[in-house]
């Protein structure tokens, strides 16, 4: 009868097993290295790679002066990101209409 034993397939399985074992050991070494680092070092690395990056595309933000207000502009997608108070610096103080003043008065009213 025919022999169904394929030595090439057996060799391929052995190579895959060795490859899996290699990557498993590599992953274990990386996990051990991460455990050895302190949480502070990891937090610092995260800050280094994420600070002043565009939330949309991840490119670095460049601080530019626009009407005496420093704004963060993305060089990649062209987006503009404003910190607290910068919008008011660009467009002027917030103008309240009569309805907003009414609601503000009602909220502030305490019998």
């Amino acid at each position: 009868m025919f022999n169904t034993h394929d030595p090439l397939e057996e060799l391929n399985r052995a190579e895959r097993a060795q490859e899996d074992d290699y990557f498993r050991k590599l992953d274990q070494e990386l996990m051990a290295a991460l455990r050895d680092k302190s949480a502070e070092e990891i937090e610092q690395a995260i800050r280094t790679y994420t600070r002043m990056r565009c939330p949309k595309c991840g490119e670095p933000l460049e601080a530019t002066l626009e009407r005496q207000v420093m704004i963060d502009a993305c060089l990649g997608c062209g987006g503009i990101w404003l910190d607290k108070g910068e919008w008011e610096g660009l467009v002027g103080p917030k103008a309240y209409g009569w309805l907003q003043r009414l609601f503000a008065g009602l909220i502030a009213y305490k019998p």
Side-chain angles (χ1 to χ4, degrees):
M1 293 278 160
F2 295 106
N3 187 2
T4 59
H5 177 71
D6 186 8
L8 188 57
E9 179 63 33
E10 191 172 311
L11 182 61
N12 285 339
R13 266 187 280 165
E15 287 177 352
R16 279 186 295 219
Q18 286 177 346
E19 185 177 309
D20 289 344
D21 190 43
Y22 169 78
F23 284 113
R24 185 175 22 264
K25 286 179 184 177
L26 186 64
D27 288 343
Q28 287 174 347
E29 290 171 5
L30 289 172
M31 293 294 284
L34 282 175
R35 283 187 201 108
D36 291 342
K37 286 190 174 189
S38 70
E40 188 174 305
E41 289 174 327
I42 293 171
E43 185 68 28
Q44 181 62 34
I46 290 171
R47 264 192 237 109
T48 300
Y49 291 111
T50 59
R51 190 169 195 283
M52 289 299 290
R53 295 280 182 170
C54 176
K56 184 176 180 184
C57 69
E59 291 293 318
L61 294 176
E62 183 178 290
T64 58
L65 187 64
E66 183 70 33
R67 298 186 205 164
Q68 289 82 31
V69 176
M70 290 299 291
I71 61 172
D72 303 319
C74 177
L75 302 175
C77 68
I80 296 174
W81 305 99
L82 302 172
D83 295 329
K84 184 176 182 176
E86 290 178 345
W87 175 255
E88 288 80 12
L90 289 173
V91 298
K94 197 178 210 180
Y96 288 106
W98 69 269
L99 188 59
Q100 286 140 340
R101 286 194 307 267
L102 174 69
F103 284 134
L106 290 174
I107 291 171
Y109 178 73
K110 294 186 180 170

